[in-house]
Every structure is written in C-alpha cells, then in structure tokens.
Amino acid sequence: MKVSDILRVKGSTLFTVQPDQPLAEATTTMAEHDIGSLVVMEHGDLVGMLTFREVIQGVVRNGGSVGNLAVRSVMDDHPLTCTPETEIDEVRRMMLNRHARYMPVMTQKTLMGVISFYDVAKAVVDGQDFENRMLKAYIRDWPVEEEAERERPALL
C-alpha cells in the first residue's frame, strides 16, 4: 500500500498558513476546521509545518499566551515529507522515529496533501481486515478431507 492510496480515500482538502501570519489566526483556523496541523507555505514552497505540538510549546515559551507570536517563530521548519509513491510501512517507520503525527505529501515542490498517523494506522488496519476476510473466505471454501479423498482419482 502506498501514500497515494490514503490520499485517494482522504480527499484533497488542504489548509495552509503563511509563516508571517499571526499564530492566533492559525490556531483559529485549526480550531474552526478541527484539524491538528497546517502546512506552512511561502511563495508556493513548503517552509514548515505547524501542529498543535508546536503551538503548545510556543504558548508555554511565551508565558502561557499566544500574544503576538508569528507562525514562523513556532513552526517545525524541517518537517518530514513523503511522496505519493512512498510505501505505508516506510511512512510508519519515519513517523515513529521522529514522533511526527502529520506529514506533507510532496511531488517535487508541489504539495499533494497531508497524511496523519491516524490515516496511516487506519490504512494498515483496513488492509489487515481485508486480508483477514480473504483468508477466512479461502479457508471456508477449502475442501473437506473426505470430499477431497472421494474426488481424488484412485492410484493403480
């Protein structure tokens, strides 16, 4: 399974923010759309990722207030990225190693979407469920030994 499989199911709605935008506006966008991340874009290029983790760390550093913080001051400026062709198992390893919950999907410099750890986990579970159903159907259709013996031609 590949990242493109997740994006196909997930859809193409993307939320972005600019690095010099006030953090208060970005957090309002996240709350209004019930999303945990925003991709930070500048002049059409990915320059960072803003997640609730960076927001909380920034607020704590700022004495418990969003204040006049800009997105740039709290964003992750080196986010993990993947391509639509990246295998899900590789994405899972990358996310676990960096404790990343969100990952932008890029084709060269074009943002294709964002996948979350939830999306990856759901895809893995759905794939396992499908495989289990196929195996159970295969086993259910397995010939019973007695029937197999009757159908087997006699050896001379």
Side-chain angles (χ1 to χ4, degrees), residues 6-131:
I6 292 176
L7 290 179
R8 191 172 22 262
V9 171
K10 188 173 180 175
S12 60
T13 303
L14 289 171
F15 294 95
T16 64
V17 66
Q18 295 179 348
D20 294 323
Q21 198 168 333
L23 184 59
E25 284 181 24
T27 57
T28 299
T29 299
M30 292 169 79
E32 286 175 350
H33 298 285
D34 192 27
I35 54 175
S37 69
L38 292 169
V39 180
V40 185
M41 301 290 287
E42 188 172 41
H43 308 296
D45 292 328
L46 170 76
V47 294
M49 194 74 181
L50 180 69
T51 71
F52 56 86
R53 177 184 288 153
E54 286 81 30
V55 171
I56 291 169
Q57 289 172 346
V59 167
V60 168
R61 280 194 309 268
N62 200 43
S65 166
V66 173
N68 294 325
L69 291 174
V71 168
R72 183 183 306 278
S73 67
V74 298
M75 71 182 191
D76 175 358
D77 57 358
H78 294 300
L80 285 174
T81 62
C82 62
T83 71
E85 295 305 307
T86 307
E87 295 286 335
I88 295 300
D89 286 340
E90 177 62 20
V91 170
R92 188 171 48 180
R93 274 190 286 282
M94 292 165 62
M95 292 177 105
L96 285 170
N97 287 341
R98 280 268 303 268
H99 298 273
R101 291 186 178 96
Y102 302 92
M103 186 181 294
V105 181
M106 307 291 291
T107 299
Q108 280 107 35
K109 290 189 154 208
T110 303
L111 178 64
M112 305 303 291
V114 175
I115 59 171
S116 68
F117 196 79
Y118 172 83
D119 298 328
V120 173
K122 184 177 181 327
V124 169
V125 168
D126 290 349
Q128 289 172 343
D129 286 347
F130 176 75
E131 187 174 310

